[in-house]
Every structure is written in C-alpha cells, then in structure tokens.
Amino acid sequence: MTIHQARADLLASAGAGLLRELTREWAPARGRRVLVAVSGGGDSVALLHLLSALAPGRGWSLAVATLDHGLRGETGARDRRFVETLASDLGLEVHGETRKVTRAPGLSLEDAARNTRRAFLLEVADACRADTIALGHTVDDQAETILYRLGRGTGLAGLGAMSRYSESLWRPLLRVRRKRLRHVLQTAGLSWCEDETNSSLAPLRNRIRAELMPVLERVLGQRSPEALARAADFAREDEAWLTKMASDCTPPETWNEVEGILEIERAVIVPLPAPLLRRILRGAVERSSGGRIRPSSAHLVAMESLVRAESPGSELHLPEGLTVRRKQ
C-alpha cells in the first residue's frame, strides 16, 4: 500500500466529524510549523497519523517529539523507539530523548513528570522553530481531569481544566472520545503502544479512569464525559472574566518577589471580595514561579488566611521553595 492510499484510508475511517475537530478556527494557519507530541499511546499516535494525512492539504510542516521519562525501564525505551520509527516512516523530523524526572519537595511524581515533559516540548519547539505544539488529549482526559480536581476541592480555575488552544499548546482532540480514536486506528490497520502502567490502580488518575468513569457513564449516560467538557468551557469563561477583574483592580506594587520570597502587600487586597483576592494570590504565585506552581485549593485557603490575619510576621512555604510573606 502506498503512503497516499494509507492516508486516504485513514481519512475515510476518521469521518467528517473527527476531521472537523482538527480543522476548526483555532487550528494552525497554512504554512505553520507544528510539533506533534507523541508518547506511543493510541491517542497521540492517532493524532500524528491524522495530522500527517492532513498536513499536505493544509500546508503544515510537521515535526515529532517523544520523551522517555525513564520511569518505565525498557518499555519506556521501547515506546520511544516505536515513535522514532513511525516518524521516520512518515518522513518527519523526530526529536527523541530520555530525561530524568526531578521531583521537588511537595510535588507529586505525576506533576513532576508533566513539568519535565512540558519543558522538553518547549525546548524542542524552540529548536525546530515550531509555532504550535499539538497534544493528543481527548474528551475522556478532560472528564477525568475535572473529576480529579473536584476531588481536591478545586475552584473555577481547576474546573476549567484544559483548553483547546492555550498559548502555543493545541489540543485538537479535546472533543473526541478515546474509543473513537482506537476504532480509527484499528480500521486503518495501524498499531500503537499500550502503557502497562495504565492498568495499575495505584495512581488516583488510573482509579478514576478504571472505576469512577464507568459508573458515571452508567448512571448519567454515555455522553456524560462530553457534558463535563461543556461545563469546563463555561467555568473557563467565567474564570477568565473574574481574573481580568482581579487584574484591573490590583496595582503592580501589590507584590514583590526576591530570591524565592513573594511579599504580598496586605492592605491593598484585604478589602477585596474573596473571589478576587484568591485570584490575585494565585496569579502572583504563578508569575513568581514561572508557571511551575499551580496553587491547590488548600494553598489558596492558606494564603487567604495569611493575608487576612491581623498578627504580623506570618509566612507560608509552598512547593518549589517559594515562600509567601505578608507585608502590613
């Protein structure tokens, strides 16, 4: 079978609805360089095949990035080799690397791996001059993320979960079911790798996927993941509006960051309503940490208590070695 026939079969198997998700208004413009993040799993492999099939007609130039976190031994190395071979077969430039995950105090292994992966992708995108990084997250991933964050007591920011396009990150499959992508691959006779750690019930995310999601679909219906994704869209819009309000009513001298210490000017923000105050605190921490720290609901509650307390001299220690200190 020629590459042209394989692409035609894949596009026919995908169908118009799926292809629309890849070519909506937030898709990269003609002539853009797109870096496709591929782990070897079914979702990202399907994304790579679909973008490779669409690229000639859309004028996209593709490159592939694959990272072995070094956490899965030989199977992780196997998946990396699979992706490198696949990219080569498709005639695409590929950047593969094994990079050790550094876990800072207070940071989960999952969050540390995500930070490592994000840093790797941004470095590769810069090296190969890619405008966009394409990620293979699905509507199932979105629903699982929302449930995970609800269990941690998240606010609107957490409920917003992932967006289809944020800065240079593009998630074209965020309204597509995981099982739909597997069907497309199987119909086209294409293979992928299975991550054996997904079957372990030790990580909370895996328990949500294996135990909670089936109950949710059985009780609320098969389209409950899509309903959660719609709720995330509304939450993200509301959060954006409130965040803008917080920014508009906060002068730049409200905080000062020096050598890992973030000082908050208490008098400026204490009179504000709690929803705005918490957004100001979260934004200050995210900016000070360069986006490495995403404050949890517990962190936000602790920071709010810190700035509202009357007693002087209190401080709070966050992950990544950041200290938040109140100024009277």
Side-chain angles (χ1 to χ4, degrees), residues 39-326:
S39 66
D43 301 339
S44 60
V45 167
L47 175 63
L48 176 58
H49 280 295
L50 289 165
L51 292 181
S52 177
L54 289 170
R58 303 285 297 187
W60 295 330
S61 170
L62 304 184
V64 176
T66 184
L67 179 66
D68 172 15
H69 294 96
L71 300 173
R72 296 167 49 225
E74 175 53 31
T75 54
R78 175 209 64 190
D79 292 355
R80 174 185 163 182
R81 291 193 297 269
F82 171 85
V83 174
E84 290 172 339
T85 300
L86 173 59
S88 178
D89 290 344
L90 292 171
L92 300 176
E93 174 186 331
V94 60
H95 300 261
E97 188 175 320
T98 298
R99 184 173 295 191
K100 183 179 180 181
V101 174
T102 302
R103 187 177 176 182
L107 200 64
S108 70
L109 182 61
E110 182 183 48
D111 287 339
R114 182 164 47 249
N115 290 345
T116 300
R117 183 167 58 252
R118 181 184 177 92
F120 166 72
L121 292 174
L122 291 174
E123 289 172 18
V124 174
D126 183 63
C128 69
R129 294 184 173 83
D131 308 287
T132 303
I133 301 172
L135 304 171
H137 296 115
T138 66
V139 71
D140 302 84
D141 295 310
Q142 184 79 311
E144 292 160 11
T145 298
I146 294 167
L147 294 173
Y148 174 80
R149 293 182 178 180
L150 279 172
R152 300 177 63 191
T154 188
L156 272 180
L159 283 178
M162 298 176 283
S163 59
R164 299 194 210 193
Y165 195 91
S166 175
E167 298 174 353
S168 62
L169 304 180
W170 177 41
R171 299 180 177 90
L173 303 177
L174 208 53
R175 291 296 177 270
V176 181
R177 295 298 302 268
R178 187 178 293 131
K179 59 187 177 183
R180 173 68 178 138
L181 297 175
R182 299 300 192 279
H183 175 74
V184 169
L185 290 174
Q186 290 170 343
T187 302
L190 298 169
S191 61
W192 66 92
C193 299
E194 290 290 355
D195 182 348
E196 73 289 347
T197 62
N198 287 335
S199 61
S200 168
L201 295 183
L204 177 57
R205 285 295 293 256
N206 288 4
R207 296 200 299 277
I208 291 172
R209 178 176 299 180
E211 298 178 346
L212 185 53
M213 289 301 297
V215 173
L216 189 75
E217 293 188 41
R218 186 170 67 250
V219 175
L220 298 180
Q222 291 294 310
R223 296 191 63 81
S224 54
E226 286 91 336
L228 284 172
R230 288 195 300 274
D233 288 341
F234 293 137
R236 196 161 48 252
E237 291 173 2
D238 291 349
E239 174 64 20
W241 182 74
L242 286 167
T243 298
K244 183 179 184 304
M245 284 189 63
S247 176
D248 290 345
C249 68
T250 310
E253 62 269 19
T254 302
W255 52 77
N256 181 46
E257 197 273 326
V258 179
E259 296 182 356
I261 298 176
L262 174 63
E263 292 185 329
I264 306 290
E265 189 67 54
R266 176 180 183 272
V268 177
I269 61 175
V270 163
L272 296 175
L276 294 183
L277 187 150
R278 286 192 291 267
R279 280 162 179 79
I280 291 168
L281 294 174
R282 187 184 65 237
V285 168
E286 290 179 351
R287 279 188 291 273
S288 294
S289 66
R292 296 189 309 277
I293 303 175
R294 300 295 178 90
S296 66
S297 57
H299 290 146
L300 291 174
V301 169
M303 284 191 288
E304 183 180 0
S305 298
L306 174 70
V307 298
R308 290 194 186 281
E310 295 294 338
S311 58
S314 298
E315 62 182 31
L316 179 68
H317 300 282
L318 296 180
E320 301 279 337
L322 180 66
T323 297
V324 178
R325 183 177 296 166
R326 184 188 67 231

